[in-house]
Amino acid sequence: AWSENAMELYADLNDQELGTHLKKFMLHNQPVLFFPLLAIARLSWCAYSLWFALSNGQLGDSKKMYVPIQPIEPLCLFIHWIIYFYISFTLPSTWGLSILYMFVSQVTCGILLASVFTLNHNGMRIVTKEEASAMDFYTLQAETGRDVHPSYFMTWFCGGLNYQVEHHLFPTIPRHNFQHINNRVRQLLQKYDVTYHVTGFIEGTMEVLDRLDRVSKSIEK
């Protein structure tokens, strides 16, 4: 849960209504459990990517959510997993090492992906539907996103998404060009007193965990 408003949904529930003690435990300890859960979530991301590609981009049952998929995409996924399983079961000397390699590689990948994605918006301002309708598009995108200080390594590591504000303001611009508009975007937002939030990688991660901790404590009130 990312906001106090979300936690209010649980505040008056007893253990039976919460379902199990496990759910309450997870809500109370979400800052500690955040990255371990995202590491495991990597498995569901893999399964969903395969399902999405093989279903030709059909999201749910609504035809309005259909996203066409080019044949090359499921083909590349198929080749990727063939190579992955080949490496997993040929290079290690035993089945145990093969399974360990698969587990460690997927968990590591999950943590690395999560460490990038969670900095995009998590821990930033959360607006209600009414607040969003009263804001213009550019203010809404800028004040709910977070940039990470650019460097050659950080831009490579984040795939250019460390320029998250620029990405949401101009989603059709190729990511390698965000660096060229970064200063202009910052100056324009400052000119109109729109919040432009940029942090270091570690500082941004701590902001995310701090928000989770602060919100989880609200259930005790």
Side-chain angles (χ1 to χ4, degrees), residues 57-76:
Q58 184 66 47
L59 292 172
D61 298 326
S62 174
K63 294 183 179 180
K64 294 181 180 179
M65 301 179 70
Y66 173 75
V67 180
I69 295 294
Q70 298 298 322
I72 190 65
E73 295 185 50
L75 176 62
C76 288

Side-chain angles (χ1 to χ4, degrees), residues 4-5 19 48 75-76 83 93 123-125 131 142 146 178 202 219:
E4 286 78 1
N5 290 336
Y48 187 81
L75 176 62
C76 288
I83 295 174
S93 57
M124 292 298 295
R125 177 184 177 186
E131 290 174 330
R146 175 193 291 107
F178 288 149
I202 295 177
I219 198 173

Side-chain angles (χ1 to χ4, degrees), residues 12-139:
D12 297 327
L13 299 181
N14 55 40
D15 290 338
Q16 183 177 1
E17 290 171 319
L18 277 172
T20 64
H21 290 287
L22 177 61
K23 292 181 181 179
K24 198 168 186 177
F25 172 81
M26 293 178 68
L27 289 171
H28 279 293
N29 297 278
Q30 59 180 12
V32 178
L33 298 174
F34 182 58
F35 279 106
L37 288 175
L38 287 177
I40 299 174
R42 161 68 180 168
L43 301 177
S44 68
W45 299 341
C46 292
Y48 187 81
S49 67
L50 289 170
W51 174 81
F52 182 75
L54 295 176
S55 64
N56 196 28
Q58 184 66 47
L59 292 172
D61 298 326
S62 174
K63 294 183 179 180
K64 294 181 180 179
M65 301 179 70
Y66 173 75
V67 180
I69 295 294
Q70 298 298 322
I72 190 65
E73 295 185 50
L75 176 62
C76 288
L77 275 174
F78 179 75
I79 294 174
H80 163 79
W81 286 111
I82 289 294
I83 295 174
Y84 177 76
F85 282 113
Y86 175 79
I87 293 174
S88 299
F89 288 100
T90 56
L91 294 185
S93 57
T94 66
W95 279 80
L97 288 176
S98 294
I99 294 174
L100 179 62
Y101 166 77
M102 294 174 64
F103 175 78
V104 172
S105 64
Q106 292 302 311
V107 166
T108 302
C109 185
I111 293 175
L112 292 177
L113 286 173
S115 65
V116 173
F117 295 152
T118 55
L119 289 182
N120 294 347
H121 302 282
N122 295 341
M124 292 298 295
R125 177 184 177 186
I126 297 177
V127 298
T128 64
K129 184 182 297 185
E130 292 74 19
E131 290 174 330
S133 62
M135 300 169 69
D136 63 85
F137 171 81
Y138 299 100
T139 301

